[in-house]
Amino acid sequence: MTLIYQINRSKRRRNLAIKVAKGKLEIQAPWHMPEATIRAFVNDKHAWIDKHLQRQRRQLDALAPRLWESGERLRWLGEPMTLKVATATRKSVERYGAELFVTKTARSQAVKEPRLTIISWYKRQAEAWLDDFFATWPEHHGLTPSTWSIGDFTSKWGHCTRKQALKFTWKLWIAPPWVVRNVVIHELCHLKEFNHSKAFWRLVEQLSPDYQAAEAWLRQHGVTVLNADYLDYCDENSD
Ligand SMILES: [Zn+2]
């Protein structure tokens, strides 16, 4: 199989890097590196690239594109919910067990309104989850953020600023609870170690012993969970 890829050159980059995203291959290369060197590198990593590309494509193919219509599967903390959309005089959103009921107004642009209503539901629920989390987070760890909030990132799960503020994407709460917890702890550890040094990972391991499984989960499922066209994942491990 011939690999099709895009080369992105950067003046700041020193080494070659492979990026497999949304079922596509991208090579990040230093500005002046000869094309032949890049090709040799890609050939060398062919098996690895192929494995990851195929896995991502399988994941994308296994899910239907999100249309925000009745009958679609959504998830809250990994638990599946069936979406039920109806028209009413005003907007509303309510979860009853395994169903999420959303109403849209007759005047709305059909697709946009349930989507925005549901996203704001996720954001409110995620904020409440974080409030509960921090209410029980032990003070003796010495890791206390100045604020926390929910955002809309598409290529990362969360971040920590120099001002000790934590922010997470609402899409994180599509993942199972143990994965969510790991991401929050990861960002909390940045309050002490503003880097990904050995000391940082030691701290993460201490506070979240299963962090490696969570990191693997995020790497595997990020391709569809963070993707606005899917916002879901397949349960079965396709490896
Ligand atoms: Zn980090």
Side-chain angles (χ1 to χ4, degrees), residues 186-187 190 195-196 200:
H186 177 118
E187 296 307 328
H190 280 314
N195 50 50
H196 288 121
F200 169 79

Side-chain angles (χ1 to χ4, degrees), residues 2-4 26 37 40 59 73 80 98-99 145 148 154 157 169 178 198 212 218-219 226 229:
T2 312
L3 289 169
I4 296 166
E26 197 185 297
T37 312
Q59 287 175 293
R73 178 178 66 195
E99 292 178 322
W148 54 87
T154 52
W157 302 100
T169 178
W178 63 277
K198 280 200 179 124
Q212 280 179 321
L218 295 164
R219 270 197 305 276
L226 287 172
D229 292 334

Side-chain angles (χ1 to χ4, degrees), residues 92-147:
S92 69
V93 55
E94 199 83 50
R95 180 184 176 186
Y96 293 105
E99 292 178 322
L100 189 72
F101 290 88
V102 179
T103 58
K104 59 180 183 182
T105 52
R107 284 165 166 227
S108 75
Q109 297 160 294
V111 176
K112 234 178 176 180
E113 197 181 271
R115 179 173 67 88
L116 295 179
T117 309
I118 294 163
I119 291 173
S120 41
W121 179 83
Y122 270 97
K123 288 181 175 173
R124 284 196 304 276
Q125 301 293 312
E127 267 166 27
W129 189 98
L130 282 177
D131 291 345
D132 285 350
F133 178 89
F134 286 116
T136 55
W137 178 248
E139 252 178 45
H140 63 255
H141 290 328
L143 302 169
T144 312
S146 59
T147 60

Side-chain angles (χ1 to χ4, degrees), residues 66-80:
R66 183 152 307 288
L67 302 170
W68 306 100
E69 288 171 357
S70 283
E72 277 176 38
R73 178 178 66 195
L74 295 169
R75 290 178 189 272
W76 170 254
L77 288 171
E79 294 292 330

Side-chain angles (χ1 to χ4, degrees), residues 145-149 159-167 191:
S146 59
T147 60
W148 54 87
S149 59
H159 83 181
C160 171
T161 70
R162 292 261 178 209
K163 290 185 173 166
Q164 315 260 298
L166 304 188
K167 194 167 189 167
L191 297 175

